[in-house]
Amino acid sequence: MSACLHGVEGKLVEVEVDLSNGLPQMNIVGLPDSAVKESIERVRAAIKNCGYTFPLQRITINLAPADVRKEGSAFDLAIAMGILNTSGQLELEFPEQILILGELALDGTVRAIPGVLSMIVSAREQGISRILIPKLNVQEAALIPDVEIGSLSHMNELQTGITELFNPTKYLPSKSQPSNFSIPASNDDFSDVHGQMQAKRALMICAAGMHNILLLGPPGTGKTMLVKRLPSILPSMSDQEALEVTKIYSASGKFADRSSLIRERPFRMPHHSVSAAGLVGGGSVPKPGEISLAHRGVLFLDELPEFSRNVLEVLRQPLEERHVTIGRARASYRFPANFIFAASMNPCPCGYWGAETAAHACTCSTLKIEHYRSKISGPLLDRIDLQIEVPRIEYGQIVEKTAQLSSKEIKAHVDRARHIQLKRYQHSSITFNSELSGTLLKAHCQLSMEAEQLLQKSFEVLGLSVRAYDRILKIARTIADLDGSQQLAIPHLAEALQYRCLDKKTQSPSHIR
């Protein structure tokens, strides 16, 4: 058995080798891609340069299931072992199925491959617990519990490696990282930000319930600075979340430290010139994009209107479904995309509309402002839970000596709310308030009669959509959790309504004051 990547998930593949009489040639069948077809020459050279004899027969290699596209170089070692075993040059008898992964160099060196985590997880789910992999992938593979790992650095170690893998006194057992694994301390702290208490409160709610957030304000008010400090207050990842994130980075070839799971929530900040394929993933063989690399973390788009509208519109489905499906002629690939969407923007092209000072007066016409804001569609704004205005800071706030609210203090509140949510949703498939929908939303966001009347009036006055109605309830649920309240009260709902600043305004800047 071997495996390949299908998106970011592992796909098990059975490697079959047949030797028959006929003209010497080697054919690979089973929908191989170019990298798999090229393994013919890598395997031929590796077998010859390791002192074995490459059979001068007709060699047929089948990769099953035959209707699934096979990609990558992970089959090299399994193909070579199949040829040597079938030709009688190696006696390889396996008491049970093993997973064999590895790319071969021309001299027989076994090279590391990407995506080992995903492949081993798939093998474990199908009952395969013994793995033979390149030595360079051992630390990464050892992160998966309940598997036995044998490793090779060269094909000459094949016989020894197989023997040790089935010797219970010599194989390398895997290990799982403890739940309290330490996270590197960040130098970014909310205590660096003076004032902006409403924005800090909104970011606390954002972190506690994993809600999407938009900061709106003139240049230099600290919007980017605030969002960059969001990771410092996010709740720690569970073992399952850490494994999900690590699998994505392993499949993408971006897993630098192979000795431990990724425990720090990702923070991705792509430039506004990013393409739609760069954001959601793509290519002839689709790879994860920025939204998948931000899975279980934060995707921050600074200066939101500077991004192409076509690029922004592709976010609509992932924000709703929490995954993205990319279809190609050969296959359909599904990538996880459960992230906090954070964004910042100016109120107008020059940035000073509504915040004019003697030094900075807005020079934008009403038409220019409307064109600027029209780059962000209503359906996309509707999917952003928290919409916050970040005003200018007065000089007195900058130089005041009083201690500012720190990330440690904010995170303490976030962790308490997170604990409440874990307990509430322990028997369901969700973990955060932002994931509530349908019957769960109705069950956990019940309003008193007075609160219901307030929401009804707000719904009519602001012209809210059904989606905005649901998101306001989710925000109110998170605010109540931060207060330690089981019941959604009027103060919780009223505060949630305050965080929809763009719903309070018409599209015409002449009415926005």
Side-chain angles (χ1 to χ4, degrees):
M1 298 299 296
S2 191
C4 65
L5 283 175
H6 192 266
V8 295
E9 299 299 325
K11 187 78 174 179
L12 291 193
V13 175
E14 186 174 354
V15 179
E16 301 173 330
V17 179
D18 175 75
L19 299 184
S20 60
N21 294 328
L23 292 175
Q25 60 178 320
M26 181 172 170
N27 296 313
I28 300 180
V29 296
L31 288 182
D33 74 343
S34 298
V36 180
K37 291 178 180 178
E38 290 171 356
S39 67
I40 293 174
E41 301 306 325
R42 291 194 298 271
V43 170
R44 189 195 310 274
I47 289 177
K48 178 173 63 72
N49 291 329
C50 288
Y52 299 106
T53 301
F54 192 83
L56 295 178
Q57 293 175 276
R58 181 183 179 88
I59 305 173
T60 303
I61 297 163
N62 182 42
L63 305 179
D67 59 343
V68 175
R69 189 78 178 178
K70 317 302 186 309
E71 297 158 351
S73 57
F75 304 111
D76 289 9
L77 183 58
I79 291 172
M81 289 175 65
I83 292 173
L84 293 176
N85 194 28
T86 308
S87 61
Q89 299 181 67
L90 272 181
E91 294 184 6
L92 302 175
E93 295 184 3
F94 307 138
E96 60 184 78
Q97 275 192 332
I98 67 171
L99 182 71
I100 301 170
L101 304 170
E103 176 187 332
L104 290 177
L106 299 185
D107 64 351
T109 300
V110 184
R111 290 175 170 162
I113 58 170
V116 163
L117 277 182
S118 300
M119 299 176 194
I120 294 179
V121 168
S122 295
R124 188 185 62 176
E125 291 173 351
Q126 297 192 32
I128 299 177
S129 60
R130 296 182 190 265
I131 318 293
L132 185 64
I133 58 172
K135 189 160 286 185
L136 293 175
N137 286 120
V138 166
Q139 286 186 313
E140 183 179 351
L143 299 173
I144 307 299
D146 305 323
V147 294
E148 300 164 7
I149 302 165
S151 65
L152 299 175
S153 59
H154 198 278
M155 266 186 62
N156 287 332
E157 304 169 6
L158 267 177
Q159 195 72 62
T160 304
I162 295 295
T163 303
E164 290 186 356
L165 183 59
F166 289 98
N167 184 340
T169 64
K170 292 187 177 182
Y171 73 78
L172 175 66
S174 64
K175 60 186 178 183
S176 58
Q177 295 295 319
S179 299
N180 60 350
F181 190 85
S182 60
I183 299 174
S186 172
N187 293 325
D188 294 331
D189 197 283
F190 273 96
S191 60
D192 301 330
V193 184
H194 292 264
Q196 304 296 10
M197 296 307 296
Q198 186 189 31
K200 290 180 180 178
R201 169 71 175 174
L203 286 165
M204 179 196 298
I205 297 168
C206 165
M210 300 296 277
H211 299 287
N212 303 324
I213 188 169
L214 170 67
L215 301 185
L216 174 70
T221 55
K223 302 185 296 296
T224 303
M225 189 177 185
L226 283 162
V227 177
K228 283 186 174 181
R229 280 152 179 74
L230 179 58
S232 67
I233 62 171
L234 291 176
S236 301
M237 286 199 290
S238 65
D239 290 344
Q240 180 60 36
E241 290 174 329
L243 181 58
E244 290 175 13
V245 173
T246 308
K247 281 170 58 178
I248 294 171
Y249 278 76
S250 173
S252 304
K254 300 179 184 294
F255 190 21
D257 181 9
R258 300 176 184 270
S259 62
S260 63
L261 294 176
I262 296 175
R263 290 285 175 175
E264 192 172 1
R265 292 190 182 271
F267 182 85
R268 305 294 297 185
M269 187 178 172
H271 190 261
H272 65 257
S273 61
V274 68
S275 65
L279 200 61
V280 301
S284 57
V285 179
K287 295 295 182 183
E290 291 291 339
I291 63 172
S292 295
L293 294 174
H295 182 63
R296 298 297 182 183
V298 180
L299 175 70
F300 178 37
L301 302 188
D302 199 9
E303 303 298 342
L304 191 62
E306 299 302 324
F307 287 79
S308 165
R309 176 159 181 157
N310 292 336
V311 170
L312 294 179
E313 290 307 297
V314 301
L315 287 172
R316 287 161 57 172
Q317 185 262 344
L319 287 174
E320 204 71 36
E321 302 296 332
R322 304 187 187 279
H323 67 264
V324 59
T325 302
I326 300 175
R328 292 290 184 268
R330 62 182 64 174
S332 180
Y333 300 83
R334 176 167 166 162
F335 299 108
N338 190 352
F339 58 92
I340 293 176
F341 176 52
S344 68
M345 63 178 288
N346 297 326
C348 67
C350 77
Y352 294 101
W353 184 87
E356 292 89 347
T357 64
H360 299 288
C362 180
T363 59
C364 303
S365 66
T366 300
L367 185 61
K368 285 180 66 175
I369 297 175
E370 289 181 349
H371 177 71
Y372 180 74
R373 295 194 175 189
S374 68
K375 293 181 179 180
I376 307 167
S377 67
L380 180 60
L381 283 177
D382 212 28
R383 288 166 167 80
I384 301 177
D385 309 42
L386 300 155
Q387 303 161 4
I388 311 299
E389 289 184 300
V390 183
R392 287 183 64 253
I393 297 292
E394 300 298 332
Y395 181 77
Q397 293 176 292
I398 299 175
V399 298
E400 66 179 351
K401 302 300 182 182
T402 56
Q404 301 294 316
L405 197 62
S406 69
S407 293
K408 184 177 180 181
E409 293 170 317
I410 298 175
K411 192 175 187 302
H413 293 284
V414 170
D415 287 341
R416 282 196 293 270
R418 166 67 164 155
H419 179 73
I420 292 171
Q421 293 171 69
L422 285 175
K423 187 175 181 181
R424 180 189 300 132
Y425 306 131
Q426 60 182 333
H427 299 302
S428 63
S429 60
I430 68 173
T431 54
F432 287 99
N433 289 332
S434 62
E435 301 172 25
L436 281 170
S437 63
T439 55
L440 285 176
L441 182 66
K442 294 178 181 178
H444 298 297
C445 298
Q446 296 180 355
L447 299 173
S448 64
M449 184 175 293
E450 295 81 4
E452 187 72 48
Q453 291 173 350
L454 172 61
L455 186 53
Q456 179 183 357
K457 185 175 181 179
S458 302
F459 186 88
E460 295 169 352
V461 172
L462 301 178
L464 300 175
S465 67
V466 177
R467 182 184 289 112
Y469 169 86
D470 288 349
R471 291 182 182 272
I472 288 170
L473 287 180
K474 296 176 191 179
I475 298 169
R477 178 70 270 165
T478 301
I479 294 171
D481 289 343
L482 287 168
D483 287 348
S485 172
Q486 181 62 31
Q487 180 67 33
L488 292 187
I490 288 182
H492 305 140
L493 186 60
E495 184 179 356
L497 287 166
Q498 290 179 6
Y499 297 132
R500 302 287 300 186
C501 72
L502 294 179
D503 288 331
K504 303 174 186 177
K505 302 175 179 181
T506 65
Q507 288 296 318
S508 175
S510 61
H511 294 88
I512 306 175
R513 288 295 176 186

